[in-house]
Amino acid sequence: MAAKVKKAFFCKNCGFEAPKWLGRCPSCGEWNSFTEEIIARESGSAAASIANVPLSKPQRVSEIREGDRRRLDLGNSEINRVLGGGLVAGSLVLLGGEPGIGKSTLSLQIALSPNGLRTLYVSGEESAEQIKLRASRIGIGNEECIVYTETLLENIISQIEEQRPDIVIIDSIQTMYTDLIDSSAGSVSQIRECAATLLKYAKSTGTSIFIIGHITKDGTIAGPKILEHIVDVVLQFEGDGNNIYRILRGIKNRFGATFEIGVFEMLDNGLRCVDNPSEILLTHYDEPLSGIAVGASVDGIRPYLIEVQALVSNAAYGTPQRNATGYDSRRMNMLLAILEKRVGMKMFTKDVFLNFAGGFRVQDTGLDMAIVAAVISSYYDRPINTGICCAGEIGLSGEVRPAPRTEQRIAEAARLGFRKIVVSGYMAKPSKSVKGIEIIRINNIAQLPKALFAEE
Ligand code: TYD
Ligand code: MG
């Protein structure tokens, strides 16, 4: 019997389905993103074919039982932190990142850590021997880690039912396919159907599932938007390929806040949790160098200190070069324009390069003052006094505004042995003084050089 072939066009960016090819996606506005896929559905969608899905009933909000949401300790402090205090039982988590960044390593490490959880690691990308090799490097701390190399979703579901794990890891969603759809693995319809099936399974059984998804060059996971709204939590694993540091960022979290980050270091034996990011982001130089400033930053609720490096040199050509690594170059240009206008520095004749320690990407506007300090230091070729750090946002008139959570930044600077911190004079006086650190308050950026270079 010839199967009834049904075709449809999908937007590769957002998964929008249309009966004919469209030049521009009416849903996400992306151009030229439609591809044709064969979808031969049998009875309904794959999600509907899972048996034993309990029917839910409408109920009063006051009568809904709480406490169903158990949080599982994964045995990894950084991942627990990003998930908002552990993995919620029955949740579907998408872990995205570029190929080679360490997604498989991170997820295998969760499976192998001695957390007392039975984990099924499903790989469609590597052979069992390859996984064993990696597992030996990481160290096997959990005998309850089961490895299964398979790509057909129906087989995976039946194995999950047989093994009854607490956690399932799907590495990666782009290699999985279901028999109910004819299109190839990695296509929009396959990804959507597989994720929907896994979601149903997770919700009906309370099994937590990690889905690994590759991100394409332009920063989106193939078929990502479809996954992003299906899943409960979206985590992004990022880092500079040349650097050993990796950041796990919460993009969406139905069970907690999304502003937390986890910091890891990629070593020979897997990823090490960096509990204290300042330790890797500050360098101890033998002699003071110009163009280096330290900023006190906050990501999530965790403060850390980070080194900013700037190089200001005479522009060889008409248009000066401006280059920022790990930072929004428009914001850098704005800060340089403020220095030009409010402090009278001749930035229009200078090339400026900006860099952050550890290949970190930062967005915190509270680092404005540290960036400006590094630029001033390099411009005058004068090292900033040792033991000083900065925390403040800079406005267009050159005014220094208080950075969010300044008190935490001050406390972190004091903890790391800094003697002075420059903050906004407009900040309310801290409720309690912090021991061992002098707080210098300035209202305008023009007062910054004096604070940085004062004779002691
Ligand atoms: P991997 O987890 O395979 O990346 P992804 O699944 O995101 O594609 O990570 C691959 C890189 O990590 C590889 O270049 C080697 C490196 N690595 C280490 O440095 N140390 C280790 O212990 C492991 C297992 C991998
Ligand atoms: Mg991988």
Side-chain angles (χ1 to χ4, degrees):
M1 189 190 84
K4 206 178 109 197
V5 174
K6 190 182 161 204
K7 288 182 179 176
F9 289 86
F10 289 95
C11 167
K12 274 187 293 192
N13 188 45
C14 69
F16 184 81
E17 188 178 334
K20 62 179 197 325
W21 190 86
L22 299 171
R24 183 168 191 236
C25 175
S27 170
C28 68
E30 188 76 12
W31 288 95
N32 207 11
S33 62
F34 274 81
T35 50
E36 185 175 26
E37 291 180 10
I38 302 168
I39 42 165
R41 289 162 194 254
E42 285 172 14
S43 56
S45 72
S49 70
I50 297 285
N52 302 331
V53 176
L55 290 172
S56 83
K57 281 197 302 278
Q59 51 187 324
R60 281 201 183 87
V61 65
S62 56
E63 286 165 9
I64 302 174
R65 274 192 309 126
E66 278 178 45
D68 290 327
R69 293 264 166 254
R70 265 187 315 135
R71 282 200 186 257
L72 310 173
D73 177 1
L74 294 177
N76 185 306
S77 58
E78 297 300 293
I79 301 172
N80 281 345
R81 181 204 308 279
V82 179
L83 289 170
L87 178 67
V88 172
S91 62
L92 192 63
V93 180
L94 173 66
L95 173 62
E98 284 175 21
I101 202 78
K103 300 178 297 297
S104 302
T105 309
L106 182 69
S107 48
L108 190 60
Q109 212 160 323
I110 297 172
L112 291 171
S113 68
N115 48 22
L117 300 168
R118 191 173 165 84
T119 309
L120 180 68
Y121 179 83
V122 184
S123 179
E125 304 204 329
E126 283 156 297
S127 67
E129 293 85 65
Q130 279 175 304
I131 297 168
K132 170 75 188 191
L133 223 66
R134 193 193 293 250
S136 313
R137 279 173 80 175
I138 296 172
I140 304 168
N142 187 357
E143 292 298 327
E144 292 292 303
C145 168
I146 305 152
V147 173
Y148 182 42
T149 49
E150 177 59 69
T151 50
L152 180 62
L153 193 71
E154 283 74 16
N155 288 349
I156 295 169
I157 295 282
S158 69
Q159 278 303 322
I160 301 176
E161 276 169 350
E162 198 177 315
Q163 302 286 343
R164 295 257 159 227
D166 301 303
I167 301 175
V168 178
I169 295 165
I170 303 287
D171 187 4
S172 64
I173 190 74
Q174 276 103 343
T175 57
M176 302 296 156
Y177 72 103
T178 163
D179 260 350
L180 295 176
I181 293 189
D182 278 352
S183 58
S184 57
S187 63
V188 175
S189 47
Q190 281 288 1
I191 292 179
R192 187 158 68 182
E193 212 56 39
C194 289
T197 306
L198 291 167
L199 176 75
K200 282 269 177 188
Y201 191 84
K203 296 297 162 203
S204 61
T205 61
T207 315
S208 303
I209 303 182
F210 275 92
I211 294 180
I212 294 178
H214 291 292
I215 289 184
T216 49
K217 277 224 174 59
D218 50 25
T220 51
I221 306 168
K225 300 246 164 62
I226 338 158
L227 290 187
E228 280 184 8
H229 74 252
I230 289 176
V231 301
D232 298 312
V233 180
V234 179
L235 304 178
Q236 190 156 311
F237 206 34
E238 46 184 57
D240 175 354
N242 301 322
N243 217 301
I244 58 169
Y245 302 114
R246 301 280 182 272
I247 295 178
L248 186 66
R249 213 179 273 283
I251 309 266
K252 161 184 171 179
N253 192 347
R254 287 195 181 138
F255 312 110
T258 53
F259 46 63
E260 285 293 345
I261 60 162
V263 184
F264 298 90
E265 192 175 6
M266 181 66 100
L267 302 174
D268 282 345
N269 55 353
L271 292 152
R272 181 180 78 91
C273 295
V274 178
D275 299 324
N276 181 4
S278 307
E279 98 197 35
I280 57 168
L281 299 173
L282 293 181
T283 321
H284 297 282
Y285 298 101
D286 292 340
E287 52 189 286
L289 299 172
S290 70
I292 293 181
V294 176
S297 186
V298 177
D299 227 316
I301 52 168
R302 182 164 50 165
Y304 62 91
L305 267 66
I306 185 165
E307 196 178 279
V308 189
Q309 300 182 335
L311 176 67
V312 179
S313 64
N314 287 324
Y317 305 101
T319 317
Q321 288 192 56
R322 301 283 158 87
N323 204 324
T325 312
Y327 190 69
D328 178 12
S329 50
R330 277 171 307 181
R331 184 140 191 116
M332 174 177 80
N333 283 332
M334 187 200 87
L335 294 174
L336 297 178
I338 295 170
L339 279 178
E340 174 118 30
K341 178 101 179 167
R342 309 290 170 198
V343 191
M345 289 162 65
K346 297 206 169 25
M347 301 309 303
F348 63 91
T349 61
K350 303 288 186 188
D351 289 342
V352 180
F353 303 93
L354 193 70
N355 192 15
F356 287 85
F360 252 52
R361 259 195 277 160
V362 300
Q363 286 173 343
D364 177 20
T365 49
L367 283 172
D368 286 354
M369 200 182 349
I371 291 166
V372 166
V375 170
I376 293 175
S377 164
S378 181
Y379 183 94
Y380 293 111
D381 199 12
R382 198 170 161 187
I384 293 171
N385 290 348
T386 52
I388 294 191
C389 63
C390 308
E393 206 178 295
I394 293 169
L396 290 179
S397 318
E399 81 277 19
V400 177
R401 289 197 293 251
R405 298 174 184 269
T406 299
E407 287 190 28
Q408 277 185 21
R409 298 173 198 249
I410 296 173
E412 176 72 1
R415 193 177 72 78
L416 288 162
F418 279 79
R419 287 178 295 110
K420 292 180 182 176
I421 182 164
V422 190
V423 300
S424 165
Y426 298 110
M427 191 187 90
K429 281 256 186 318
S431 45
K432 51 181 190 288
S433 69
V434 185
K435 252 203 182 138
I437 190 161
E438 182 190 339
I439 298 172
I440 304 170
R441 302 162 72 91
I442 62 171
N443 292 341
N444 194 286
I445 199 66
Q447 297 164 276
L448 186 60
K450 190 165 161 259
L452 299 174
F453 307 124
E455 299 283 328
E456 294 185 323

